[in-house]
Each structure stands twice: as C-alpha cells, then as structure tokens.
Amino acid sequence: MDSQRRVVSGMRPNGRLHLGHYYGVLKNWVRLQHEYQCFFCIVDWHALTTDAAAGGDISRNAYDMAVDWLAAGVSPSSATLFVQSQVPEHAELHLLLSMICPQSWLERVPSYKDQQLDAQHREHATYGFLGYPLLQAADILAYRAGLVPVGADQLPHIEFARDVARRFNHLYGGEEDFQAKAEAAVRKLGKKSSKLYASLRKSYQEQGDLEALETARALLKDQQTITIGDRERLFGYLEGEGKVLLPEPQALLGDTPKLSGLDGGKMSKSSCNSIFLRDTPDEIEEKIKRMPTDPARVHRHDPGEPSRCPVWQMHLVHSSEDVRQWAEQGCRSAGIGCLECKAPLIEAIRLELAPLQERAQDYEQSPDLVRSILAEGAEQARDEARETLLVVRQAMGLNYR
Ligand code: TYM
C-alpha cells in the first residue's frame, strides 16, 4: 500500500450541496480519481456532531449527496464512495485514538474554540462535537492515506490528523534495536540504493531538504525485495526513530479553496449565502439579481471598484477572461450597470449546473443503483480499514489472535 497514491476525503450530509462544495472540492475529486486510489466518504456521524438534537433525516441527505457526487462526475468505477456509519472501523479507530489524544489538543481546535466563545452554543457543547476532529483523523488514518483534498477551512483539521498520526507512531512505532534493524534494512537495499538512501536521509535530516525526503520515499516504493516490516522501518528511519504505522496525511487544496457566497463571505449553508447545485434557473437568477454590489455605486453613472464587489468575486470563478475584462472595465468606467454585469454570470452558472442537474435526475430515477454503489463502496472501504485496524490493535497491545 502506497500512502502517497491514496486519497481520502469526506462531506457532512447536513443539507444540500452548494457551489462551494463543487468548486472547492468536488471538481478536484473528479480530477484526482483517475490518478489516485480514492475513498470518498459521506460522513453521517459528523453530521450528528452538530445536528443530533435537531433530528432530521440524515440518511435522506446522505442519499442526495451520493446523487450529487455521481452527477458531478465522481465515478464508482474509479473511486470508492461510501457512508461512514457503514464502516464501523472508523468508530473503533476513533475510540482507540482517543486514548492517546490529549484533551488539550481538541480544545485548541479553532471550531471548538469558536463554539466556546459563543454562550448559547457553549451550553449545548457535546462530547461528540469536541471529538469531531479526532473522528475526522480516524476517517483519514483508517486508510493510511497521504492526501486529503479539502477546502481551506479544513486545514487545521488535517494538521490535527498529522499530529495524531505522529503521536501514534512515536508511541508505538518504536522497537528495541530500531536503529540496528533499520541499518540492516538499509544494507538490504543493495549497494547503489543504500548509498542513495543514506545521502537523501542525511540531506533531509540535516538541512530539512523536503525534495530529498520525497525522492527517498519514491526510492523505497520501488524496492521489490525488502519485507513490509523493513519498508516501514526505512520510512520511519527517514524522519525519526520508529516505524511509520500511520502515515501523516497532507491537505490538498484545489483551485478555489474558499469560494465566496452571495454576500462576499465564504459560501456556507449556515450563512444563507449559497447557490445550491439543485437550484432551478429561476432561483439562480433571483439570487444573483439580489446580490449586493460595490456600495459606492449608488447610481448607474457612479464608477465602481470590482475589488469591493461580491459579484466580481463570482466572475473570477465562473466567467471567461473576455467577460471579466468587459465587467472590470464596464464597472470602473460606469459603462455598464450592475444588472448588466450580472447577466453573463447568471448564464455561466446555469450552463455549468444544467448538465449536472440532468445527470442527477437520471440517478434519482435509479435509487437501487445508487444504494448498490454505496453498499459496494462500504465493502471495499471496510476491507482496507480492517487492515489498518489489525496494525493499530496489535500496536496497542490488543492482539487476541
Ligand atoms: P464540510 O462538509 O463542511 O465540507 C465539505 C468540503 O467542502 C469544502 N467547502 C468549501 N470549499 C471551498 N469554498 C467553500 N465555500 C466551501 N464550503 C465547503 C470543505 O472545505 C470540505 O472540504 N470536517 C469536514 C468533513 C470531513 C472530512 C473527513 C474531510 C469529515 N471527515 C475526512 C476530509 C477527510 C467538513 O465538515 O466538511
């Protein structure tokens, strides 16, 4: 298993998907699925960490989410799509990791700190919400994935997962005579490769040369002759003093890591500033027509400044270079009015979403197909997660075989 070729990501099914999900991550997933082994997870337990008391039909949302993913081009023949609660290994890993995760780490995570600042929310704070980032770490580490394509708001959570993996490896990756065993494994690489490995390791450890680290990892991946244990040792020896049992994941940002919404702030369902993937052409038109523009453009003949206008932020993502130039010049010279400026944007978003909505309709008409894709995905995901759990249980002394 090569963690650098493995991708994991997820979304909470607590509402309809919007353009932020689409431009922020879904488009990236569709690209990555052809190059990497991808696991995409509908994280229904995560939805419960904030919405449990409110009730609601999470499974309905999860199903709709699967339809939207498929309609956006995520393909079950290239990627594994599944629902978190159908793979109970995530919960077991979450529990086991909770034994080594200092409580203070969780209390320092920005989303938890924000909640604590808000008196009303503080009162409803749950154990589940505090553990949210650790459950997310379990989602990722269960597959020993190296890459996690997400939006910018998720960066602290991925950093958190890295910290947890590092701590796990530090606690359980060590073994007696690690250095001697690692040196023996280096010799098994053969004369040329062992020399190269040693010099790359030195460059990384002494000068922090990340390129050397990557090259050394690639060198190890190509080795056919060494055992899995020696490979884990050599990966660990590159960076520290023990085996890498759970590789540290890295976030992968797409072209639009933070898509703005109708009010210019980050598009999110809770801010009521979203265009949803299933919005009708009329709804799209209505929402954009109502968007605020540069506040300095009170009258049609007042010149505007695009950088102050949320509509311009949208042009940057949805419009062609020609349209952007036209809008920018027209705004600054007061050559066009705000409604005129919005017209090509409305058209561009409608055009982008029309084929997606058509495909969504097709999937809606085949509910058994969608369910079987998720059931098969859960089986595949479980097979992989079970392997990780064997390693984790054994490392933690829970070995009853
Ligand atoms: P969630 O469900 O809030 O969002 C899903 C993904 O969509 C991205 N996103 C955006 N990207 C750009 N611009 C926006 N306006 C925008 N709005 C949302 C988010 O950054 C995210 O990548 N904790 C995660 C779910 C999760 C997960 C995981 C992710 C659980 N386990 C394991 C990756 C790996 C969340 O709440 O995302």
Side-chain angles (χ1 to χ4, degrees), residues 10-12 20-21 25 132 136 139 150-151 153-154 257 259 267:
M11 288 187 194
R12 274 174 306 157
H21 297 114
V25 274
Y132 182 110
Q136 180 161 353
D139 297 338
V150 282
D153 62 328
Q154 296 298 312
L259 187 88
M267 186 176 286

Side-chain angles (χ1 to χ4, degrees), residues 294-353:
D294 176 2
R297 274 202 94 177
V298 182
H299 305 293
R300 165 72 177 75
H301 55 263
D302 294 331
E305 172 47 48
S307 61
R308 286 193 300 254
C309 180
V311 177
W312 172 245
Q313 290 306 316
M314 287 210 161
H315 271 302
L316 288 176
V317 177
H318 303 282
S319 301
S320 67
E321 182 59 36
D322 287 352
V323 172
R324 275 189 252 159
Q325 265 184 20
W326 165 83
E328 195 174 16
Q329 281 164 12
C331 176
R332 289 210 171 102
S333 63
I336 57 170
C338 293
L339 272 180
E340 255 174 284
C341 174
K342 288 172 174 180
L345 190 58
I346 295 169
E347 202 44 36
I349 295 177
R350 280 175 168 177
L351 276 176
E352 178 80 33
L353 292 185

